[in-house]
Amino acid sequence: MANAYTPGLTVSGDITVRRTRRLPIKGEVLVKPGDEVTPEQVVARANLPGALQTIKLADKLSIEATEVKNFFQLKEGDPIAKDQVVAETKGLFGMFKNTVTSEYEGTVESVSEVTGSVLVREAPIPVDVKAYIRGKVADVMPEEGAVIETRGAMVQGIFGIGGERVGTIHVAVSGPDQVLHADNIHEEHRGKILVAGSGFSFDALAKADKLGVVGLVAGGVRDNDLIQYLGYDIGVAITGQESTNLTLVVTEGFGYLNMAKRTFDLLHSLEGKEASINGATQIRAGVIRPELIVPLDLGAAATAAAGGGGELKIGTSIRVIREPYFGMLGNVTELPAQLVTVESGTEVRVLKAKLEGGDEVVVPRANVEIMAG
């Protein structure tokens, strides 16, 4: 039986998103406020202490614990290599020597005359925190991390699995009521985030995993398909740490459920754009929703013109990439030369455009992209 949920999720074509990227322990922050970052860029780095290993030297040499420092050939703080000779008895007449080699690589942390053991700290484990979304560094927490900010489209889901990934959006079905099947998925979808309608079959899920699809976004997911894919029954309280090859975001609930038309239309308008996706879900205190974030290019019109993609002039076909007219098509009717003060208090250049519905509107020039002819 299908179960739908209506938790008031965010589905917006134009929203400012901030994500805090924090290290688990103190380390080094590699960016500064104002820096532009890419999703895969490392913004902070730390080293987790390596595992502490024990060499039972007294036992191996058959000596008293108080004698270990007389035989151990290194001192605290020295590097130690695996299979390195670290202690040796004199033997009898130079024969029958008892030799001890290290089973570990790292640094000598301590030599105990109480236990007769040597403690070896293995190499530190590097921990990198990436930006996750394309945007700018809004703030820095010294030795801890950074806050990344972007403006763009965001779709939150009710449930998801899998961690943070980045891919290109591709709508793989014809409508929000369509189920994604295996024969809809092809080799060229490797690295893509596929948008389904009401759900996806288990065969589609398995094929997407095998082909290297980055993520799947759908209205619903069937419990049995999820259990079969993961190999176990997952709890819905906290997710995101699953060992999977792709990330799932479900927008409506469990079962086959039509994706909301507004959500599907928004995703369809984002076809071919780079998106960050995260299936992490937490429904207890400190609610975390799975999400898909698509940074939008504020300079799209200028970039297109500079690259020969078209000139912004009377009659130019444009698409609005900001609310309240997000996704609407139209033609430029006027290009006022004077700056206009918008709601935020900023002075910007604007244009007038006649939209497909017949309305003539005024929008900032940065809020449109030129449509290829």
Side-chain angles (χ1 to χ4, degrees):
M1 180 180 177
N3 296 295
Y5 301 89
T6 54
L9 304 175
T10 297
V11 176
S12 175
D14 184 6
I15 189 171
T16 298
V17 180
R18 281 190 164 205
R19 290 293 177 264
T20 299
R21 315 300 292 161
R22 194 185 301 271
L23 290 164
I25 60 172
K26 288 189 180 297
E28 179 185 8
V29 179
L30 306 177
V31 292
K32 62 184 184 298
D35 284 355
E36 294 187 0
V37 293
T38 60
E40 298 293 336
Q41 184 174 338
V42 176
V43 298
R45 177 172 291 149
N47 287 312
L48 290 174
L52 197 59
Q53 304 291 357
T54 302
I55 301 175
K56 296 182 178 180
L57 200 60
D59 291 347
K60 291 177 179 292
L61 292 177
S62 300
I63 59 175
E64 296 295 327
T66 54
E67 299 181 277
V68 292
K69 286 190 175 181
N70 297 329
F71 291 92
F72 188 57
Q73 298 175 358
L74 304 172
K75 60 181 184 297
E76 292 178 5
D78 283 351
I80 186 171
K82 187 176 181 180
D83 299 325
Q84 178 181 349
V85 175
V86 296
E88 188 176 63
T89 59
K90 294 181 180 179
L92 183 62
F93 304 114
M95 302 175 65
F96 309 109
K97 291 181 180 180
N98 193 359
T99 300
V100 177
T101 58
S102 173
E103 301 173 45
Y104 315 104
E105 183 172 351
T107 304
V108 178
E109 182 142 313
S110 68
V111 183
S112 174
E113 293 180 297
V114 176
T115 64
S117 297
V118 173
L119 296 182
V120 177
R121 178 73 66 179
E122 291 188 326
I125 304 166
V127 176
D128 288 344
V129 173
K130 297 180 179 180
Y132 169 53
I133 55 177
R134 184 180 299 277
K136 286 189 177 182
V137 178
D139 194 14
V140 164
M141 300 160 286
E143 299 184 313
E144 292 186 32
V147 178
I148 312 301
E149 180 178 284
T150 194
R151 187 171 176 181
M154 181 169 76
V155 172
Q156 286 186 323
I158 181 65
F159 173 75
I161 64 168
E164 299 172 352
R165 291 184 167 92
V166 179
T168 304
I169 293 177
H170 175 69
V171 180
V173 295
S174 58
D177 58 340
Q178 299 295 305
V179 175
L180 180 69
H181 295 287
D183 56 6
N184 301 126
I185 302 174
H186 309 288
E187 179 63 35
E188 58 265 28
H189 294 147
R190 182 182 302 274
K192 301 286 180 68
I193 297 171
L194 299 185
V195 177
S198 60
F200 40 80
S201 66
F202 172 74
D203 288 345
L205 184 56
K207 187 173 181 180
D209 181 289
K210 183 178 179 180
L211 284 183
V213 171
V214 169
L216 290 176
V217 183
V221 61
R222 296 188 300 185
D223 290 336
N224 290 341
D225 291 342
L226 196 58
I227 293 170
Q228 188 176 356
Y229 174 61
L230 293 172
Y232 58 89
D233 193 354
I234 189 172
V236 297
I238 300 177
T239 72
Q241 300 300 316
E242 299 77 23
S243 180
T244 59
N245 293 326
L246 50 77
T247 295
L248 307 181
V249 172
V250 174
T251 62
E252 313 302 324
F254 291 91
Y256 282 162
L257 294 168
N258 292 356
M259 183 181 291
K261 186 176 185 302
R262 178 181 173 223
T263 305
F264 186 83
D265 288 347
L266 174 59
L267 292 171
H268 200 282
S269 74
L270 299 170
E271 174 80 28
K273 293 188 178 293
E274 177 189 79
S276 298
I277 187 171
N278 186 7
T281 308
Q282 182 172 307
I283 61 174
R284 295 173 180 168
V287 172
I288 298 172
R289 297 296 184 193
E291 62 186 13
L292 181 141
I293 300 169
V294 183
L296 298 180
D297 181 9
L298 292 175
T303 301
E311 181 184 353
L312 199 59
K313 58 185 180 181
I314 305 301
T316 297
S317 296
I318 52 98
R319 176 168 57 191
V320 185
I321 59 172
R322 291 287 182 272
E323 296 288 6
Y325 309 109
F326 178 82
M328 299 189 72
L329 302 176
N331 295 96
V332 177
T333 57
E334 190 177 335
L335 292 167
Q338 68 274 20
L339 296 175
V340 174
T341 302
V342 294
E343 216 173 290
S344 64
T346 306
E347 290 188 333
V348 299
R349 293 199 181 279
V350 300
L351 59 79
K352 286 186 179 181
K354 188 170 184 179
L355 302 181
E356 283 188 334
D359 294 334
E360 190 169 54
V361 299
V362 177
V363 294
R365 296 187 192 186
N367 288 12
V368 304
E369 62 181 4
I370 296 173
M371 301 298 292

